[in-house]
Structure formats: structure tokens, C-alpha cells
Amino acid sequence: MDFTLEIPKVVEDLALFCGFGLLGMVLSWAKKWVKDKRKVPFLKFYLCLETRYTVLSIITYFSAIATLIAVGVIDYTTHQSLAMSFMAGYTIDAAVNKDVEPDA
């Protein structure tokens, strides 16, 4: 018997789409980290010191994307959609973390 798990193409496409958005968030985080004067390690900065804002950014991004997909306004397999996902991730993170000073 063959027990190979086949992932539907739509799931692969959605994972790629969301991956581009998360990449946008990571680059937004990196930009802010580079500007930080304390030079705390990157992962500690966002996973330990800025946890609330990191979680808020991720929730906001997935809420926006879920809304777009639910109403059927995007085909998330095109280059334009991937670029939009990247910019949405970057912009949402930048907006949520605007004027946020690190806790420590």
C-alpha cells in the first residue's frame, strides 16, 4: 500500500502566498532591528522583547489575507498577488510597530 500524503495544489499555492507575506514582515522587523541602538540579537528582539507586537502583526496580516480570500478578490498564484502579499506583510508590520519602543 502506498501511504503517500498528497498536498492539494491550492494548499501549496496558499502556503507560498502567505510565505511571501511573512517574508515582508521579517524584512520589516530586520529594518527596525538594524536601527536599534542596543544591538540585541535579532530573534531575541522580536520573539522575546517585542512579542506582543509580533503576534499582533501576524494576526493582522492573516486576518487581512483571510478576508481577501473569503470574498474571492484575489488569485494568489500570480506574481502580482505574491508581490501584494509581500507588501501587505511589510506594511502591516510597519504600521503595527510604528512608534513602538522596545520594552527592555
Side-chain angles (χ1 to χ4, degrees):
M1 288 184 140
D2 185 18
F3 293 104
T4 305
L5 176 64
E6 292 186 28
I7 299 173
K9 177 96 170 91
V10 68
V11 174
E12 291 177 2
D13 293 341
L14 184 59
L16 179 66
F17 182 77
C18 291
F20 269 78
L22 293 175
L23 177 63
M25 285 184 178
V26 168
L27 292 179
S28 177
W29 298 339
K31 179 190 72 164
K32 185 170 177 159
W33 176 72
V34 167
K35 290 182 177 182
D36 184 48
K37 303 294 185 220
R38 295 170 299 142
K39 298 303 175 205
V40 175
F42 180 73
L43 290 177
K44 181 179 179 186
F45 188 73
Y46 281 98
L47 298 180
C48 298
L49 302 179
E50 298 291 328
T51 306
R52 293 174 301 177
Y53 302 106
T54 300
V55 171
L56 182 60
S57 293
I58 292 170
I59 290 170
T60 305
Y61 170 75
F62 280 110
S63 298
I65 296 306
T67 301
L68 290 174
I69 292 171
V71 297
V73 296
I74 61 172
D75 172 15
Y76 45 81
T77 60
T78 65
H79 294 311
Q80 294 86 356
S81 293
L82 294 176
M84 187 271 312
S85 178
F86 177 87
M87 285 307 300
Y90 188 92
T91 305
I92 287 171
D93 184 73
V96 167
N97 289 306
K98 185 178 182 196
D99 301 325
V100 172
E101 292 300 320
D103 296 333

